[in-house]
Amino acid sequence: MRNFTIYLAVAACLLAGKITAQETFESKARQIAEKIEKITKDEKEALKIEIEEVNKQFENGTITKAEADDKKKKLAEARAIIIENKVAVTHEELKELVQKKVNGKIVSKPSNDSTTVRINNRYVLKFEKDTVSFKKKKDYSERRTTSQFVFAAGLNNVVTEGNIENSDFRFWGSHFYEWGLTYNTRIAKNNNLLHLKYGMSVMYNNLRPTENRMFVKNGNQTNLEDSGLNLKESRFRNVYLVLPLHLEFDFSGKTIKEDKTYFKTHQSFRMGLGGYAGVRVKSKQIIEYNSNDMEVTQKTKGDFNSSNFIYGLSAYIGYRATSLYVKYDLNPLFKDNAVKQNNVSLGVRFDFN
């Protein structure tokens, strides 16, 4: 009985020793983490005081704004170096602690446990089973240029001699489609309002004539004429490859997290003003009708005297990814027609980040 009591006491001491060793290891690791946090906090507070002093000098007129900005930049760089030097010392302590654990001088937790210690939101110390890892978290820099996939669709028609009323084309039957890739670059470094939006798009402009009419090319003139048929479908399409360019006003504002400022796009109201220019890829007319109880589809490809180049004005306004979109071709639909007609489109636009 006496021997059993002794063995029990010894086992209890060994168990307590293992627990104490593990707690000592964790506590030391966390002490180092807290030390790094304190170094960063103290240096930031010191920098804040120095910046306030520079601001007072500027307000008193003893230095210019350019000199104040230069002083602030140098002070921030100096404090950053101090932080790195002081943190480097604590890293050595951390390496020694990790080495002790690897060498078995500090008892580990049971193999199915793991512990993660985050240090200053920049470093991660992880203990898992019988392994120890120490790594620096990646500090991703903010991108001032982002990309979006653009898709737009809506109603399409023409303005004839400055008038869209009494159109020769179906209002609800004539459509446009556009898809492409754009890039969005924030113009100011520290302000999120102005952006330059540019890219490449493919535009499809469809017109459906009324009253069984179709386009007929007569020399350098392209006119709408009665087909003499009971048309089920009459559609004229121009396809363009264009380069759009817009000045975008984005009211998404900014986000401050962990003393860093982040600018995100497409999070609030947006408005874009600009235009586009490009080339015509192809033109095609499709008519469908019944003949002798048979359905006939006739497709005609050609230039139809359409303008080879396209350029115009466009604008959009909306919230987040969705916008109301309008565009107007400054070039005539048919380059030599006696009556000037310009394509106009109104629809919905989606900019997907």
Side-chain angles (χ1 to χ4, degrees), residues 103-235:
N103 295 338
K105 294 181 180 180
I106 299 179
V107 180
S108 301
K109 279 186 176 183
S111 60
N112 60 344
D113 288 345
S114 65
T115 302
T116 300
V117 179
R118 297 186 182 276
I119 303 173
N120 198 27
N121 292 317
R122 296 178 63 191
Y123 303 94
V124 176
L125 184 62
K126 187 173 184 179
F127 319 100
E128 186 171 8
K129 295 185 178 180
D130 295 325
T131 62
V132 181
S133 61
F134 174 68
K135 63 181 181 179
K136 183 176 181 179
K137 292 173 65 178
K138 291 184 179 180
D139 187 11
Y140 295 99
S141 58
E142 185 191 18
R143 294 181 300 168
R144 289 177 64 178
T145 299
T146 58
S147 60
Q148 296 82 36
F149 172 76
V150 174
F151 176 76
L155 303 178
N156 193 65
N157 219 291
V158 297
V159 176
T160 304
E161 297 292 344
N163 190 356
I164 198 172
E165 294 181 8
N166 303 316
S167 174
D168 293 323
F169 306 96
R170 293 161 52 190
F171 281 102
W172 299 108
S174 302
H175 308 114
F176 85 93
Y177 304 94
E178 178 182 344
W179 59 269
L181 179 68
T182 62
Y183 292 94
N184 188 319
T185 299
R186 190 174 76 248
I187 295 176
K189 182 178 180 180
N190 298 314
N191 189 288
N192 201 32
L193 180 62
L194 294 179
H195 294 252
L196 192 63
K197 199 172 181 71
Y198 51 94
M200 180 177 291
S201 293
V202 180
M203 288 183 179
Y204 300 80
N205 292 339
N206 294 288
L207 293 170
R208 283 184 166 88
T210 59
E211 300 176 356
N212 295 314
R213 289 178 295 179
M214 57 184 288
F215 281 108
V216 177
K217 181 179 177 181
N218 298 312
N220 65 351
Q221 299 292 299
T222 301
N223 304 315
L224 270 181
E225 297 183 4
D226 192 322
S227 65
L229 300 168
N230 184 19
L231 297 179
K232 295 175 58 179
E233 169 77 332
S234 177
R235 181 170 78 251

Side-chain angles (χ1 to χ4, degrees), residues 51-68:
I51 294 296
E52 289 176 353
E53 181 61 32
V54 173
N55 288 335
K56 289 180 181 178
Q57 294 176 9
F58 171 65
E59 291 172 0
N60 294 334
T62 56
I63 59 174
T64 64
K65 188 177 186 306
E67 291 172 335

